[in-house]
Amino acid sequence: MPHAIVQQAQPALRFIPPDYQPWLHRVVKTVLPMLLRSHGIQRVETTGVEELAQRLDQFQARQARLILAFRHPSTQDPLVLAHLLWKTVPTVARRNQIPLRSPVHSQFLYDRGIPIWAGQLTGWVLSKLGGIPIQRGKLDRLALKTARDCLVNGDFPLAIAPEGATNNHSEILSPLEPGIAQLAFWCCDDLAEANRSEAVFIIPISLQYPFVDRQNWAVIDQLFNDLEQQLKLPKSLSPAIDHPGEKRYARLARLGLEMLTMFETFYREAYGQSLAVDSAKNVVEKTAYPDFATRLQRLREMALSVAESHFNLPAKGTISDRCRRIEQAGWDRIYRDDLEQLSPVARGLADWNAMEASIRMGHMRLVEQFAAVSGSYVREKPSIDRYAEVLTIIARAIAWIQGRNPQSISKLGQRIAKLQIGQPINVSDRYLDYRKSRRSAIEQLTADLQTQLEQSIKQ
């Protein structure tokens, strides 16, 4: 059973106010190199940092307000961004005689769910580093108000992941959420109302994690062996598949199809839902799986519908939108502010309700595991990096199903964290357009940011 099914209703989630503490910043900065190494990051490479240093200099001089919009392919992104701001930017600033004051830092938005699954200590650390928690499945007015005030008046820029969550793909950008554009225009509103002249900029930051050794296929093949053993798949393939690359892709196809078939069987037996199941044999023999994307999409729809029907939610919007609504509906039943007023019997039913909600949220978690998987990612470019990303997604999903910590999956090798600082987007130049048509301006700003981040992936 997936790990951490809630057994009892809990007190309501409280807002964790940001409370930046310089001493903790200094402590984490000291241990940061060790943290990066422990996560398999050998080194950090950056381009375009001088532009960022100049904008930060303008920010410190009260000439600009900044949003750092970073890609979010990995849970290691916060550590890499910390390295960028705490170490790389000051070094580049000194080299180019840019008079930045210490500390160079940013506040940031983070998912309120992180302290739930990562522990209260994590929530405390995030708060003391200036983090602002937000519940993404509802209009979190307090979080938005705090972030808005930070953006307008804070001592540091605001870092936001516009994708909203990790997608575990270095070379795929998930659709961006419009909230970052709305925050930027709200900042323009507040500056205009206060008769302040700072310009508002969004700075795109791309992150990718290629292997140091791009030819070490042994670690990939070993992970194949481990996953095939977990699924009790035979080691042999068709004799007709003799090329190493074709064999490797056939193994991936077989893994994916076996996982799909198991999930389809689960939903048929547990929920009476029928999903069309095609024979996997011929697909694997051809080392391709043209029906995979269709079956995966049907599976995602089925998993989401099981959760949505329990919470009486509409099946509309993107996968991310639907997942956030399910999560919030589950939290509303688990974390309650009326527990002290309930009778013992009512409390027992509240616990039952919370446990049922937690189980149904598991279907949403399953969809999150495979939200960005397309079925063509590896086929388009069979690199060691893409194999590693997709196999890691499968390994973490299996660990989650078995009740193990998905983050405990061992790293496949040393990686390089590559950051590319994009051209700043001047939001203030678009403010008149926003005054004329808010929706159109937000959509255009979001689209332009998406284009910049997608181009950085190609580069």
Side-chain angles (χ1 to χ4, degrees):
M1 176 179 289
H3 183 63
I5 296 297
V6 172
Q7 300 295 325
Q8 293 180 316
Q10 309 289 326
L13 291 174
R14 65 180 181 85
F15 180 73
I16 306 174
D19 182 25
Y20 173 72
Q21 296 295 320
W23 70 266
L24 183 63
H25 179 178
R26 291 192 293 270
V27 169
V28 179
K29 182 179 178 180
T30 300
V31 301
L32 182 59
M34 181 180 65
L35 292 173
L36 288 168
R37 288 194 298 270
S38 70
H39 285 83
I41 306 298
Q42 186 192 82
R43 65 182 185 271
V44 179
E45 297 179 357
T46 56
T47 57
V49 180
E50 183 178 354
E51 175 74 37
L52 176 58
Q54 291 173 344
R55 297 297 174 182
L56 287 167
D57 181 44
Q58 292 177 351
F59 177 90
Q60 291 184 348
R62 293 289 182 178
Q63 297 171 356
R65 308 306 296 175
L66 301 181
I67 297 179
L68 310 181
F70 63 96
R71 281 208 59 225
H72 202 10
S74 169
T75 54
Q76 280 78 61
D77 299 339
L79 296 177
V80 176
L81 284 170
H83 186 279
L84 169 69
L85 292 173
W86 300 350
K87 296 182 179 292
T88 306
V89 168
T91 299
V92 171
R94 285 192 297 270
R95 184 186 308 144
N96 291 275
Q97 298 182 340
I98 300 172
L100 284 183
R101 298 189 305 274
S102 181
V104 178
H105 184 54
S106 74
Q107 293 190 254
F108 50 92
L109 287 181
Y110 69 92
D111 181 6
R112 179 60 180 84
I114 291 177
I116 296 175
W117 58 261
Q120 293 184 357
L121 177 60
T122 300
W124 180 84
V125 170
L126 293 174
S127 169
K128 300 308 178 185
L129 290 177
I132 302 169
I134 186 167
Q135 296 187 38
R136 297 175 297 169
K138 69 174 186 179
L139 183 61
D140 192 340
R141 297 183 184 278
L142 181 54
L144 290 173
K145 179 182 178 182
T146 304
R148 182 171 178 171
D149 181 68
C150 167
L151 184 56
V152 176
N153 301 308
D155 294 329
F156 305 113
L158 184 62
I160 304 175
E163 293 168 279
T166 58
N167 69 10
N168 302 300
H169 288 69
S170 277
E171 298 179 75
I172 290 179
L173 180 68
S174 298
L176 303 190
E177 298 179 354
I180 189 169
Q182 181 62 79
L183 270 174
F185 282 123
W186 279 343
C187 184
C188 292
D189 279 335
D190 294 344
L191 292 173
E193 184 176 352
N195 198 27
R196 290 166 52 183
S197 60
E198 295 106 307
V200 180
F201 292 95
I202 295 177
I203 301 181
I205 303 177
S206 177
L207 293 93
Q208 292 179 298
Y209 297 89
F211 275 104
V212 174
D213 184 355
R214 309 298 291 278
Q215 302 301 320
N216 186 16
W217 288 97
V219 294
I220 301 297
D221 293 335
Q222 181 57 52
L223 183 52
F224 267 123
N225 293 337
D226 295 342
L227 295 176
E228 288 165 348
Q229 185 176 9
Q230 289 283 339
L231 296 173
K232 290 192 172 182
L233 291 173
K235 293 182 179 180
S236 61
L237 293 169
S238 168
I241 305 175
D242 56 359
H243 187 276
E246 292 180 357
K247 283 186 177 181
R248 196 171 284 120
Y249 188 75
R251 296 174 78 181
L252 179 63
R254 186 173 62 174
L255 278 174
L257 290 166
E258 180 66 15
M259 290 284 288
L260 270 178
T261 301
M262 292 176 70
F263 284 129
E264 289 165 343
T265 301
F266 167 75
Y267 278 99
R268 182 174 66 250
E269 294 179 349
Y271 297 97
Q273 304 291 343
S274 178
L275 291 168
V277 180
D278 302 318
S279 172
K281 183 175 184 296
N282 291 335
V283 177
V284 173
E285 296 285 341
K286 297 176 182 178
T287 70
Y289 41 138
D291 66 333
F292 181 89
T294 300
R295 289 174 63 186
L296 180 60
Q297 178 59 27
R298 287 201 298 259
L299 176 64
R300 284 191 288 236
E301 286 294 324
M302 184 58 60
L304 289 173
S305 68
V306 167
E308 288 167 340
S309 63
H310 178 78
F311 294 116
N312 296 316
L313 295 173
K316 65 179 182 180
T318 65
I319 288 179
S320 178
D321 293 337
R322 296 169 71 181
C323 285
R324 297 289 73 76
R325 279 198 299 269
I326 292 168
E327 180 178 59
Q328 189 60 49
W331 282 5
D332 289 343
R333 298 191 186 192
I334 295 170
Y335 301 99
R336 301 174 51 162
D337 57 9
D338 62 345
L339 295 182
E340 293 184 358
Q341 287 77 45
L342 297 180
S343 69
V345 175
R347 175 59 193 259
L349 291 174
D351 292 341
W352 188 357
N353 194 1
M355 185 168 62
E356 290 276 5
S358 179
I359 292 172
R360 297 299 174 133
M361 288 170 69
H363 302 283
M364 177 269 293
R365 300 296 181 205
L366 174 64
V367 172
E368 285 186 323
Q369 300 279 343
F370 298 100
V373 174
S374 66
S376 60
Y377 185 60
V378 173
R379 187 170 63 243
E380 293 169 353
K381 182 182 175 183
S383 66
I384 190 171
D385 299 313
R386 293 197 178 192
Y387 265 104
E389 289 169 7
V390 173
L391 288 174
T392 299
I393 289 171
I394 295 174
R396 287 176 177 170
I398 289 175
W400 176 78
I401 291 167
Q402 294 175 333
R404 297 184 284 118
N405 181 4
Q407 301 303 320
S408 67
I409 301 302
S410 60
K411 305 298 184 293
L412 296 179
Q414 292 292 303
R415 293 177 180 267
I416 304 167
K418 291 193 172 185
L419 297 96
Q420 180 174 324
I421 314 302
Q423 286 297 313
I425 300 174
N426 191 325
V427 182
S428 299
D429 286 348
R430 303 164 181 248
Y431 185 53
L432 288 179
D433 294 334
Y434 173 75
R435 297 290 298 273
K436 295 175 183 176
S437 175
R438 299 194 172 198
R439 180 175 179 178
S440 176
I442 289 171
E443 289 177 350
Q444 186 60 56
L445 178 54
T446 303
D448 291 345
L449 178 58
Q450 176 111 19
T451 298
Q452 272 223 43
L453 291 173
E454 286 175 343
Q455 288 175 346
S456 69
I457 293 174
K458 296 176 182 177
Q459 293 173 0

